[in-house]
Amino acid sequence: MTTPIGRFAPTPSGRMHLGNVFSFLIAWLSAKSRNGQILLRMEDLDTQRTSEEYAQVLREDLQWLGLTWDWESQPQSRRSEAYSRYFDRLRDMDLLYPCYCTRSQLHNVNAPHRSDGTYVYPGTCRHLTQIPQRDPAWRVMVPEKTWSFTDLLQGQYTEDLAADCGDFVVRRADGVYVYQLAVTVDDGESGVTEVVRGVDLLSSAPRQMYLQELFGFAHPQYGHVPLLLAPDGRRLSKRDKDLDLGQLRQHISAPQLIGSLAHTAGLLDRFEPISAAELATEFSWEKLKKDDIYLNAAELVR
Ligand code: GLU
C-alpha cells in the first residue's frame, strides 16, 4: 500500500477557529492512523487578506495542538509561474476563452442558481463577436459529463458540471489564478492522496477532478467533514472572535480541546482529555458523525 499523503491547506487570514481545527484534526488523524504524511501549504492567493505573520501564528497553533506536518510547500502567492504553465496547457487544449462579464451581469444571469446561492454560468462569452476594451477573466469549458466519487464521510456525490456549474473561471481579470486551479496543481504536484476539508467545499471537488483529469493527476480520496455550528445554528467563522484559538488557548489545554472535539464528533464515547497522537490509535472514519456539529464554546472554556 502506498503511504497516504494528506494536507493542511489553511488560508492565513486570521487566527484559526474551531472549524479549521476540527478539519485539520481529522486530516491529521486520517493520515497518521495509517502511517501517512501531512503536507502544510499556505493558501495566500488573496494577498490583501493574508500575511506571513498570520501564517506564523498558524504554524505555532498547529504545533500547540500537536498537529505536526512532515513538510511545508511553497505558499500559493509564490507559485504563479507554475500555475501559468498549467493555464497554458489548458489554452493549448483549446479549452479556454476570455470572459468579460461584469459582476452585476453575473448576478443577474438568467440561469438556475444552485442551493449554495452560486449561479450556473450560461456560457455568455463563449461566442463573443464584440470584444470589450478591458482585461478579461479566463474560463475553462466544461464537458457534458457526470462526475461521481465516494466521499469518505458523505458517501456518493455526483455532479454534472455543465448543468450544475457551467464553464468556470481559472484566472481572474487581474491575472490572479483562482483557488480551483491552484489547489489542483498544488495537490497534484505534491502527490496528495487524500483531501480532508470542510463539507462547504464538497461541490468544488468535481471541478478539481475535471482539472486533475486534464493535467494527468490521479484523483485523491476525498473526505468532507461537518461544519461546526454555534448553538443558534450560526456557522463558526473567523469573525467569531470568542472562538478563535487565541482566546481558547487562554482557557483550556490542547488535550482538553481535542477531547471535546473528538467526543462531540463521535470519536470518543465520553469526554476525556486526549492528545492527537493518542487519538490516532483509535481513529476510524466509521465513528465520525456526518451531521453538522453544534458546539457551545462557552461550555468549552468553563
Ligand atoms: N484554503 C481553503 C480554506 O482555508 C481550504 C482549501 C482546501 O482545503 O481545498 O478554506
Side-chain angles (χ1 to χ4, degrees), residues 7 9-11 20 41 43 179 183 187 195-197 201 208:
R7 41 62 146 201
T11 302
N20 306 130
R41 176 178 71 236
E43 302 217 317
Y179 160 72
V183 86
D187 283 341
V195 169
V196 176
R197 59 190 175 193
L201 288 168
Q208 293 167 16

Side-chain angles (χ1 to χ4, degrees), residues 13 32 39 106-107 138 195 199 235 245 262:
S13 61
K32 293 296 165 181
L39 152 76
L106 292 174
H107 280 293
W138 289 85
V195 169
V199 72
R235 189 175 147 189
L245 264 199

Side-chain angles (χ1 to χ4, degrees), residues 69-293:
W69 57 97
D70 296 273
W71 82 102
E72 180 169 354
S73 63
Q74 269 198 322
Q76 291 188 326
S77 61
R78 289 208 248 127
R79 295 264 298 153
S80 45
E81 250 174 61
Y83 305 146
S84 75
R85 281 201 303 277
Y86 287 88
F87 179 82
D88 289 348
R89 281 171 64 176
L90 295 176
R91 192 166 44 203
D92 294 345
M93 291 184 245
D94 270 337
L95 287 172
L96 294 182
Y97 63 89
C99 172
Y100 298 88
C101 290
T102 59
R103 206 175 277 262
S104 66
Q105 274 172 311
L106 292 174
H107 280 293
N108 293 328
V109 282
N110 200 8
H113 281 60
R114 312 212 288 189
S115 54
D116 61 3
T118 57
Y119 58 87
V120 178
Y121 186 66
T124 320
C125 289
R126 260 203 198 203
H127 310 287
L128 273 192
T129 45
Q130 281 191 329
I131 307 295
Q133 285 298 311
R134 58 172 182 274
D135 291 333
W138 289 85
R139 287 183 187 268
V140 61
M141 285 190 254
V142 301
E144 283 181 25
K145 174 176 166 178
T146 299
W147 301 87
S148 199
F149 64 96
T150 306
D151 190 271
L152 286 164
L153 198 60
Q154 309 297 329
Q156 175 102 348
Y157 183 76
T158 302
E159 194 172 303
D160 172 349
L161 278 182
D164 300 332
C165 168
D167 302 335
F168 60 92
V169 173
V170 287
R171 197 174 88 176
R172 297 192 325 212
D174 62 5
V176 175
Y177 294 97
V178 308
Y179 160 72
Q180 305 294 353
L181 180 104
V183 86
T184 304
V185 168
D186 287 344
D187 283 341
E189 286 199 342
S190 309
V192 165
T193 63
E194 57 180 41
V195 169
V196 176
R197 59 190 175 193
V199 72
D200 52 331
L201 288 168
L202 182 62
S203 67
S204 284
R207 275 171 278 177
Q208 293 167 16
M209 291 173 74
Y210 170 44
L211 293 177
Q212 284 152 12
E213 199 165 284
L214 293 173
F215 297 151
F217 295 130
H219 299 313
Q221 175 78 65
Y222 286 104
H224 288 88
V225 303
L227 298 181
L228 297 194
L229 304 175
D232 62 2
R234 204 168 27 91
R235 189 175 147 189
L236 302 189
S237 79
K238 284 181 180 157
R239 262 164 283 150
D240 293 307
K241 279 274 175 274
D242 52 336
L243 289 176
D244 79 21
L245 264 199
Q247 298 288 322
L248 283 163
R249 281 179 60 170
Q250 294 174 15
H251 297 279
I252 57 175
S253 67
Q256 280 172 320
L257 180 55
I258 289 173
S260 298
L261 287 174
H263 173 53
T264 324
L267 293 177
L268 284 179
D269 294 337
R270 55 185 173 79
F271 168 76
E272 59 178 296
I274 190 167
S275 69
E278 285 168 303
L279 198 55
T281 60
E282 36 188 304
F283 174 79
S284 89
W285 280 94
E286 282 84 58
K287 291 189 201 161
L288 202 59
K289 285 189 206 157
K290 194 175 137 203
D291 305 327
D292 290 339
I293 295 176

